[in-house]
Every structure is written in structure tokens, then in C-alpha cells.
Amino acid sequence: MGYVDVAGAGFVLPDGRELFADVSFRVGEGAKVALVGPNGAGKTTLLRMVAGDLPMQTGAVARSGGLGVMRQFIGMIGDDRTLADLALSLVEPPLRAAGERLNAAAAALGDSEKSQIGYANALAYWGEAGGYDAEVLFDTVAVAILGKPWDDVKQRPVRTLSGGQQKRFALDLLLRGNDEVLLLDEPDNFLDVPGKRWLETRLRESPKSVLYVSHDRELLAQTADRVVAVEGGGAWTHPGGFASWHDARANRHERLLESRRRWDEEHEKLRELVFTLKQKATYNDGMASRYQAAQTRLRKFEEAGPPPLPPKEQSLRMNLRGGRTGKRAVICTGLELENLTFPFDLEVWYGDRVAVLGANGTGKSHFLRLLAAGGSAPEPDNKPVDGAPLAHVAHDGTARLGARVRPGHFSQTHDRPELLERTLVEILWRGDDHRSGLDRAGAMKALNRYELAAQGDQRFGTLSGGQQARFLVLLLELSGATVLLLDEPTDNLDLASAEALEEGLRAFEGTVIAVTHDRWFTRSFDRFVLFRSDGEVVETPEPVWDVR
């Protein structure tokens, strides 16, 4: 069995800011430990340090057993890896090296005797490293997740799979694999609700030691043995599960406040004592020694420093405004997404809150992308206002946007390559981005409402997944969109950010259509459109999760 010990870990950002310091915790043998905390607090950085992707600036990590790692984003746009490449990236290093050697030898194979001998040697090395057993594992997972044998899918580009299929494939491979310790960064993102329940069951049943980051409260409650909270520049461990973590956090904050109050009172008493003895020592030489002793006591007290204050609570204000449109915001007539759905009709009215539900791979994201591109028969004033350039969505029938509807799109994968190398202020600043019309002061004010002011001069590509999500919502706020098309907007948001988004959507004067597998977030919607696995698209009176 494997374990992980983190002792005194610290990390300083390139701009000199301290992200966290003196972080210590243990993932015992077979334990399931959740890392929770605000977006940008350092959870992913901590995972990368444990994985060895980032050097330990201070502190140390000790671990036992093979280490399997799943990063936050896989299969992003621009990622040209095949499924075989992804599978190799998830196996143990010796096997990965053997696979890379075999691929290189296969690519160089020709008529020469030297290339043929090289290929034969690479095959032998692959077998000795356990490659043929790995191929059996790859085939088992491919059939379980994709319904096809490994030989049929191994050359398929990862980006052609849905986000949920990518995650299920990677998770199943890791959970069935030989590594005894797993590091999982937001493993539930992109999973539909049956997929999340599958993950909950597999984590509970697995004998592996697992350290993972998640913002899904139900998954946390079902799987976490203990919780490590990364917040306020440090971390603390709650030995119980997530169900009791909130109360434990509130009690801890009360204790910290009480300790600080007592420290402040003692500090003031010592200062008053020093001042009093100083006055007395001016006319009484016998008081000099007592005055010096009081000074020493005060100095040592101040050098020891005060106990920490509780971390500042998050305060996000999302001012999503919208605007009045025609009564009918979206009209779909005989709309059929190629190879995904049968023809369906749908009308969405101004002010509706529509949750688009269904299993992964049923066409929900394709539907949003079609609307985000202006629909198949848009009105003249339906220009998209935000989002990355969208590829054509193959379909029959029509999806028409109503009068004065301006769609704003939030992508599930944050695929905004044009933003990656630009700072947040540069993106918002007047003259650099026509959408916002903000000067630097206005940009910083807007970022402050989203608790992103400290990241104003940071490049978008270096933000955490949750910080990127908050910034993309800010762009929607500034865009003038009257219909919000949100593809899994809460996936990377911490609890406070998700609550702020829900509050912002309640105040939004427009129409909201959201693809979501977030069981809590879905309760804020009033209409539910189900993309069924058999290709039918129907409206249901209540959320439907288990789609068979």
C-alpha cells in the first residue's frame, strides 16, 4: 500500500507573492483525502508538487508506492494526442518509456535490417516492461467506457471524445492500474451524474490511497475520509468527512479569533506595563531592573508574533445585466444534430432558466455551440458577443434566435487560446479589447468584484481553473449578452463562486440556457430539457439524471 507525507511545503509565485507556507498533511494507506479551498489558493499547485511536476521550494514530500496522476484538463483544443498517447501518459514511468521506445521504432521501421532489429528489440523491451498486460488493461477500459475494442479506438484523437468520456477513460485506467497512490485534480469535472455516482462507488471500493481536488459537495460527502483545507496562505486538516467539515471550519475560525483577541489583550497589557515602569524608572533607580525585564518580555512576546487570523471570507459580486429581447429567445424547428439526436422542436422564452441535462456524448454541448454561433437562421442583430471562434455544427432543421438576442457562450473547457498569453488587465483595457471599454482603474475595479484583482497582471493561461472560470463569467458580464449559454459553468468554481454565480443569474435580465451535471446548481432552474441516450430530446417537469 502507498502513502504520501507532505511536511512544511511552501510555494512563492514568480511575482514574489507567497501562495502558501508550512503546509503539512498525510495521506495514509488506503485513505481518501480531499483538498478543498478557494479557487487560486494553491490546491493544484500542491498536487503538482506532490506529483513532482513542480520542485519543492521549501519543505519535503515523502511517498511510497507507484504514483498515478490525472491533471485538471485533458483533451483540450489543440491537444493532438491519440487515445494511445493518453493511455501511455497514465501508466508507470518504466512502461511509459517502453511504449515511447516502441512508437519511435515503429515510426522508423522500414526495409533496412537495422530498423527491423530496432523494432524487434523495442517489442521485446515492451513485453518485459509489462506492455502486453497493459494492452489487456487498455482493451478492458476501452470496452467498458467506449464500447469498442482497443485496436478500434487507440488511434482516435482524444479531443474527439466528450469531456466525460475522456475523464471516465483516464479514471478507469488509473483505478484499475498498478499504481498504489492516485492524485486526481477535479476528477468529477465533465462527468454526468451517473458518471459521478460511478466515480463515488469506485473511490469507496478502491484500496488505493487517493489525494484529490473537487468542488462537488455530494461527491466529497460520499468519498472523503478526511479533508485538507487550503486557505489563507496555509492548510489545516479536518480528521472527519466533508459532512462535518463546515461546522469544524466555523469552530476553528471562532477559536482563531478568540486566540487573537487574547493575544491582543496581553500585548496591550505588556505595553502598558512597559510604559508605566519606564515612567517610574525615571525617578526611582530601583525600578530600572523591572523596566528592563518588562522590555525583554514584550520583545520576546512580539517576536513570537500573534496567532493567525481566520482566512478572509470570499465576497464575489457578479453583476450580470442582460437586456430585453423578443418574447421568444430561441426557436428550434425540426432540429437534428447529425449522428446525435432525432429532430426536435423547442421554444425558449425571454427570462426562462433552462437546464440542459443528459448523459455525456448526447449532443448537449453541440447544441449550445450552434446557438452560440448565432443559430442556423439568426436574426440580423444576433451577432455572438463573446467566446472563442466556433466550428460549424453539423445539423438539419433550424435553430433561430429571437429579436435582439445576443448570445454569450461559456465553454466547458475554457478553450480561449487568444487569451492565454495576455494579462487580465490587458484583456479588459480599452483599446486592447473593444468589448469592455475599461481603463486600467475600471478593469481593476471589475476584477476586484470577482476577487481577481491580485491576478490583474497575471497571464490568463497561468490562472487556476476556477480563476479562469470566474474571469470568463466577467467577460460575459461585460459583453452585453442577452442570452447566456453556459456549458458546465460550476465545474471549476469553488463553493463561494458557485453561489455568487447563482445569485448573479437570478438578477440577470435575460435568458439562461445551461448544460450542467451539478445537482445543486440545477435546483435554481425552472425548465429541464433532456437529451436522451436514444437520440430523443424531450422536456421533463423535474431533473432526470439516470438516463438509460
Side-chain angles (χ1 to χ4, degrees):
M1 297 294 290
Y3 67 85
V4 173
D5 268 325
V6 178
F11 191 83
V12 177
L13 295 168
D15 62 7
R17 288 182 294 121
E18 185 177 74
L19 186 59
F20 53 76
D22 197 26
V23 171
S24 301
F25 62 88
R26 177 180 172 83
V27 181
E29 295 181 350
K32 311 300 183 289
V33 178
L35 284 176
V36 303
N39 295 140
K43 301 184 297 297
T44 293
T45 298
L46 201 50
L47 277 189
R48 293 182 66 197
M49 292 169 73
V50 174
D53 297 341
L54 289 174
M56 293 291 295
Q57 295 179 349
T58 58
V61 172
R63 58 176 180 258
S64 164
L67 185 68
V69 183
M70 189 180 74
R71 273 78 183 178
Q72 188 174 18
F73 294 116
I74 57 175
M76 297 289 289
I77 287 181
D79 185 349
D80 294 324
R81 289 184 302 170
T82 65
L83 207 56
D85 296 330
L86 175 60
L88 272 184
S89 73
L90 296 169
V91 298
E92 51 268 31
L95 182 57
R96 187 183 314 144
E100 291 169 352
R101 176 177 173 179
L102 180 59
N103 290 339
L109 184 62
D111 295 331
S112 70
E113 182 179 355
K114 181 179 179 181
S115 68
Q116 293 173 1
I117 292 174
Y119 182 67
N121 289 336
L123 272 176
Y125 186 59
W126 171 248
E128 291 170 1
Y132 297 117
D133 290 337
E135 288 180 4
V136 173
L137 173 62
F138 298 162
D139 188 71
T140 301
V141 174
V143 171
I145 303 304
L146 303 176
K148 295 182 178 180
W150 179 240
D151 285 342
D152 290 355
V153 299
K154 64 183 180 181
Q155 295 306 319
R156 182 174 174 180
V158 174
R159 52 183 163 75
T160 64
L161 276 64
S162 73
Q165 289 172 322
Q166 295 169 22
K167 282 291 179 81
R168 285 280 294 264
F169 180 86
L171 286 166
D172 205 22
L173 193 57
L174 288 170
L175 287 164
R176 292 176 186 265
N178 297 323
D179 292 318
E180 296 171 328
V181 177
L182 300 184
L183 305 181
L184 309 177
D185 197 352
E186 310 235 15
D188 52 287
N189 283 7
F190 307 115
L191 294 183
D192 53 24
V193 173
K196 292 184 178 185
R197 290 173 175 163
W198 167 86
L199 176 58
E200 290 165 3
T201 301
R202 293 293 299 277
L203 284 176
R204 286 196 302 266
E205 293 175 347
S206 175
K208 300 177 184 291
S209 307
V210 184
L211 176 64
Y212 65 101
V213 173
S214 176
H215 298 301
D216 188 300
R217 293 179 297 172
E218 188 152 344
L219 183 137
L220 289 167
Q222 293 291 330
T223 58
D225 300 327
R226 59 180 54 201
V227 178
V228 175
V230 183
E231 56 183 358
W236 60 280
T237 300
H238 172 54
F242 186 73
S244 58
W245 175 76
H246 290 284
D247 289 339
R249 182 173 183 265
N251 293 334
R252 179 176 183 271
H253 287 187
E254 289 179 7
R255 292 194 302 271
L256 289 174
L257 282 173
E258 177 63 17
S259 295
R260 185 58 175 262
R261 184 186 64 78
R262 292 179 179 176
W263 189 92
D264 288 340
E265 289 178 352
E266 183 65 19
H267 188 214
E268 186 60 28
K269 288 178 181 178
L270 287 174
R271 291 180 62 185
E272 290 177 358
L273 177 62
V274 168
F275 179 77
T276 300
L277 292 176
K278 180 181 179 180
Q279 296 296 319
K280 292 181 177 180
T282 57
Y283 56 83
N284 186 345
D285 292 341
M287 301 298 293
S289 60
R290 292 184 61 189
Y291 169 55
Q292 291 175 351
Q295 280 185 308
T296 300
R297 183 180 173 191
L298 176 61
R299 185 181 70 253
K300 290 181 177 180
F301 185 83
E302 291 177 338
E303 287 174 352
L309 286 168
K312 175 178 169 287
E313 294 291 348
Q314 292 178 270
S315 177
L316 287 87
R317 301 183 306 282
M318 299 182 179
N319 295 337
L320 296 162
R321 291 182 290 272
R324 183 71 202 188
T325 68
K327 288 185 178 179
R328 293 194 298 178
V330 176
I331 308 99
C332 298
T333 305
L335 179 62
E336 180 180 5
L337 302 180
E338 189 174 296
N339 299 321
L340 290 170
T341 72
F342 292 115
F344 66 93
D345 299 332
L346 177 68
E347 286 190 349
V348 179
W349 299 80
Y350 168 77
D352 278 351
R353 301 296 190 262
V354 182
V356 180
L357 312 175
N360 289 320
T362 54
K364 304 183 300 299
S365 295
H366 288 72
F367 175 59
L368 280 201
R369 285 199 295 271
L370 176 61
L371 298 182
S376 54
E379 296 286 339
D381 59 351
N382 293 146
K383 289 175 60 179
V385 296
D386 196 63
L390 296 163
H392 174 69
V393 177
H395 68 282
D396 290 318
T398 61
R400 184 164 59 86
L401 303 182
R404 298 184 300 281
V405 169
R406 303 186 71 206
H409 183 236
F410 179 99
S411 170
Q412 181 183 29
T413 54
H414 305 174
D415 46 344
R416 300 296 298 273
E418 78 281 10
L419 304 182
L420 292 177
E421 298 302 319
R422 302 165 68 192
T423 69
L424 305 192
V425 170
E426 287 172 349
I427 295 168
L428 297 178
W429 205 338
R430 182 195 301 274
D432 215 55
D433 191 309
H434 66 277
R435 290 168 302 191
S436 68
L438 298 175
D439 57 17
R440 181 177 176 86
M444 293 302 293
K445 185 176 180 181
L447 290 171
N448 189 55
R449 287 192 293 101
Y450 281 71
E451 294 214 338
L452 290 171
Q455 289 75 38
D457 293 316
Q458 193 171 329
R459 287 179 288 112
F460 177 81
T462 66
L463 300 178
S464 72
Q467 289 172 329
Q468 287 185 358
R470 294 209 306 266
F471 184 72
L472 293 176
V473 174
L474 172 58
L475 290 185
L476 286 181
E477 175 187 307
L478 299 171
S479 70
T482 56
V483 166
L484 298 180
L485 305 169
L486 310 177
D487 196 352
E488 298 284 4
T490 61
D491 257 5
N492 293 291
L493 294 179
D494 56 41
L495 178 58
S497 301
E499 290 176 344
L501 175 61
E502 187 178 31
E503 186 66 26
L505 293 180
R506 275 197 290 266
F508 178 69
E509 294 182 1
T511 307
V512 180
I513 304 175
V515 170
T516 184
H517 298 298
D518 186 326
R519 289 158 278 189
W520 166 74
F521 182 59
T522 304
R523 299 190 191 106
S524 63
F525 289 78
D526 50 33
R527 291 183 63 185
F528 309 98
V529 174
L530 173 64
F531 279 59
R532 292 189 347 195
S533 298
D534 60 5
E536 296 288 348
V537 178
V538 298
E539 190 161 356
T540 62
E542 299 291 338
V544 175
W545 301 118
D546 291 307
V547 185
R548 295 181 174 85

